[in-house]
Amino acid sequence: MMRVRTGISELDQMLGGGFMERDAVLVAGSPGTGKTILGLQYLANGVTQFGENGIYVTFEELPDQIYRDAKNLGWDLRKMEDEDKFRLVCTSPDLLLETHDGEHLLDEPMKQVNARRIVIDSLSHIGMYVEEKRDIRKEAYQLLNYFKTKGLSSLSIWETPQILGDSFSITDVGLSFLVDCIVLLRMVEIESSMRKALVVLKMRGSDHDKRLREFEITSQGIKLKSTFSEYEGVLSGAARRSLTDEAARSLAKAFGAKELEKR
Amino acid sequence: MKRLGSLLVVLLWLAIAGLFITLPWRSRIVFNDPQINLLLSLAFRFGMSIVVAYIAARSYLLSGSLNVLFLGTGVLAFGLTGVAGSATAVFGGTSETSIAMNNIGALLASFLHFTGSTLTIKGKGPLQLKASLAKGTMLSGYLGILGFTALLTSLSLQGALPPFLTKQGSRTPLNLTVLVLTVALFALSSLVFMKFYSKSRSDIIYWYSLALALLATSSASFFLSSVPGDLISWLGRSATWLGSIYLLVAVLTAMMGKGKAR
Amino acid sequence: MLSDLQGTRELPKEKQLLDRLLSSEVKADLLSLFHRNPGLIDRMDGVARRIGRTAAEIEADVRDLVDLGVLFKKKFSKSEVIYYDRKRDAEIQQVVSNLLKREVGG
């Protein structure tokens, strides 16, 4: 089966080569974890590295900030739009859920750029426009299905409210069962500093790296770093070094050694 | 806890000294069962050495500090040769092969510990290798000890080692020389670490230095014993077990993060 | 289909075009909003909210811009949405640019 690469090499390795084609991917995380950047990077790399054009759907009031933020990371979205390789669609969530005589709001943009990828930022906004919680799942299902029938590999962003702590739900509306892949972004506190962690929680039909990896947002986008192998309980909010690692560090310090730079 | 640890060491010294003084009495009771020796070796010497060597290896990979590597290989040598020596007495060898292997292994361990201790006490700080070299060096060291143990076992089973016991069962000059060197090196290492402890006040160093003192004590008791298996040699074995426990205490202290240098 | 609505309207004369494009602050805000966010597709009230106004305040100007061919309206399910035509925008910009060059030049 074809893989849809993100262009972030370590993430693609974690995914066994990339997302599965036409899969519905959910990127969940609390504010500030880099979900939007991941979505933009997925699309920008699709255009520049893999020849796969894309659409970014946002419900922001003034999305021109997205153009500015992307430019700062080296992605000229306006240029991509001029070349008909990319579209940034800004609309209201309820319009996205409607159809008219079989036509969908995104049909035209899809045709204009011959889109293969799409990012929805964010699926959480749908909750504002449905009356019952269970309707969110129904609406999301229809939307994700629509993307699959159009041959798109979708990446939907979901805001989780909890920044830290040991209790978190990816979604409280059952979306985790609908999607094919879930990537979780988390802020974690380690030794009094906030660090960012990424883990692939689920990937239907493919093996994937189940380890938690640290990542950072650089001037070129998201870069994955090493795993948190020396820590336990990272996601619980109370990260601590493993006993053997603690022992090794203490032994080194006791005998007057300093730690080597991290590889 | 530290006072109790020191007290036990002193009591052991007193017991050995007391037994040595009562010359005729100590030789009357002799007990030497190779299988029991093997079990005790496995439980104490081998078990302890694997745990400590593993932590030392992790510590070395983190720091690249050679003194830690020497300590790890020293502990591994002590444990592997001890259990291999005890095993040869059960499976095809004699008590002499067991004694030879134990003593040679202890000498190697004492040498490695002495080297590690001198590197630690060096005023400028321990030698550190680059991260890229650390893994290869660690593997070389530990595999080297494994290879040495295998070679020693092979030579002793073939009867290729020089004699360590006379026909009457007492220790040969070679045996005694090995023991004296071992005692000296372990004792010096212990003193060096005690001096280091006086500056660092690290509990890990405290327990480690006591453990080395006990290993010196055990070799000394074998030197003083008339025949293997007499009371003094059993006290020496007790010193080995207690030393193994103290090494484990040092590691446990490190695990709890309480033993850092102040 | 939406593309069916991108028709063949002729542009008004250049000066009248410029006058009509810049005849109000609301039109200027709308042009600026859609120029910066060409992918904006929303109802009248959604567009109005983004420039800090109400639907009633912008209705007339939106109608004018639709007439000029810069914006398009389309019935979509229960709503009527406003689109932006990039190609028509580029054409109008070129016309305005040519006009201004001529005015300045001489």
Side-chain angles (χ1 to χ4, degrees), chain A residues 229-230 242-261 263, chain B residues 58-59 61-65 67 71 120 126 128-129 131 193 196 202 204-205 254-255 257 260:
Chain A
S229 55
E230 60 225 46
S242 64
L243 278 177
T244 50
D245 197 71
E246 184 63 48
R249 280 169 204 277
S250 297
L251 202 74
K253 278 186 186 162
F255 287 100
K258 290 178 193 166
E259 282 183 44
L260 289 167
E261 283 178 21
R263 276 155 259 155
Chain B
R58 290 276 303 259
S59 187
L61 289 174
L62 272 171
S63 64
S65 184
N67 60 338
L71 297 176
T120 305
Q128 285 190 261
L129 288 183
F193 278 128
F196 191 68
S202 161
I204 298 169
I205 301 291
M255 274 184 183
K260 294 187 182 72

Side-chain angles (χ1 to χ4, degrees), chain B:
Chain B
M1 187 72 175
K2 288 196 293 191
R3 276 193 198 147
L4 178 63
S6 302
L7 186 63
L8 284 171
V9 174
V10 171
L11 284 174
L12 207 55
W13 286 343
L14 286 172
I16 291 167
L19 271 176
F20 181 70
I21 289 164
T22 55
L23 271 168
W25 187 76
R26 66 190 163 101
S27 305
R28 279 185 215 149
I29 304 167
V30 176
F31 176 72
N32 208 25
D33 188 307
Q35 282 161 337
I36 290 176
N37 287 343
L38 176 59
L39 279 170
L40 290 168
S41 248
L42 272 169
F44 287 95
R45 246 168 113 154
F46 183 69
M48 167 279 299
S49 71
I50 294 299
V51 170
V52 177
Y54 173 70
I55 298 295
R58 290 276 303 259
S59 187
Y60 172 68
L61 289 174
L62 272 171
S63 64
S65 184
L66 281 175
N67 60 338
V68 175
L69 181 64
F70 276 109
L71 297 176
T73 49
V75 158
L76 190 67
F78 190 69
L80 283 182
T81 55
V83 80
S86 301
T88 56
V90 175
F91 303 109
T94 61
S95 59
E96 184 179 358
T97 57
S98 174
I99 287 166
M101 285 190 64
N102 270 287
N103 290 352
I104 293 171
L107 178 62
L108 175 62
S110 66
F111 174 74
L112 290 167
H113 272 95
F114 180 70
T115 310
S117 67
T118 50
L119 285 174
T120 305
I121 203 72
K122 273 173 88 128
K124 292 174 187 176
L127 293 175
Q128 285 190 261
L129 288 183
K130 289 180 193 171
S132 54
L133 294 174
K135 199 170 186 180
T137 310
M138 186 271 289
L139 281 171
S140 302
Y142 278 52
L143 287 173
I145 297 300
L146 204 64
F148 174 82
T149 307
L151 178 67
L152 194 64
T153 309
S154 170
L155 288 173
S156 67
L157 285 174
Q158 287 170 32
L161 290 177
F164 268 60
L165 290 178
T166 63
K167 283 180 183 161
Q168 292 76 35
S170 54
R171 298 180 194 276
T172 62
L174 173 65
N175 191 349
L176 293 169
T177 307
V178 167
L179 285 171
V180 164
L181 280 171
T182 306
V183 170
L185 289 170
F186 269 136
L188 280 169
S189 306
S190 175
L191 286 169
V192 166
F193 278 128
M194 270 296 174
K195 186 167 160 57
F196 191 68
Y197 169 73
S198 67
K199 290 179 198 168
S200 73
R201 312 308 293 178
S202 161
D203 290 349
I204 298 169
I205 301 291
Y206 179 81
W207 289 106
Y208 212 97
S209 61
L210 275 187
L212 293 176
L214 283 165
L215 296 184
T217 306
S218 76
S219 293
S221 69
F222 298 144
F223 178 84
L224 294 171
S225 68
S226 310
V227 289
D230 68 0
L231 276 175
I232 287 190
S233 69
W234 274 99
L235 280 174
R237 289 170 190 177
S238 308
T240 305
W241 307 330
L242 196 60
S244 303
I245 291 170
Y246 280 22
L247 281 172
L248 278 172
V249 171
V251 165
L252 281 171
T253 308
M255 274 184 183
M256 289 187 284
K258 288 181 183 170
K260 294 187 182 72
R262 284 161 233 163

Side-chain angles (χ1 to χ4, degrees), chain A residues 108-175:
Chain A
E108 187 59 32
M110 276 186 216
K111 228 184 260 175
Q112 285 174 359
V113 302
N114 191 24
R116 297 285 308 281
R117 302 180 179 205
I118 189 162
V119 168
I120 306 295
D121 187 3
S122 68
L123 216 55
S124 324
H125 283 83
I126 292 175
M128 295 191 285
Y129 290 86
V130 296
E131 286 178 14
E132 301 285 331
K133 252 191 181 175
R134 58 171 179 267
D135 291 337
I136 301 175
R137 194 183 149 125
K138 182 184 138 203
E139 300 290 355
Y141 174 72
Q142 285 174 351
L143 186 64
L144 295 176
N145 234 26
Y146 162 71
F147 295 145
K148 288 191 185 215
T149 56
K150 291 291 180 180
L152 293 172
S153 300
S154 67
L155 190 149
S156 304
I157 289 170
W158 184 268
E159 292 257 345
T160 57
Q162 197 140 6
I163 296 177
L164 288 175
D166 63 350
S167 62
F168 67 94
S169 63
I170 304 296
T171 73
D172 51 6
V173 294
L175 282 182

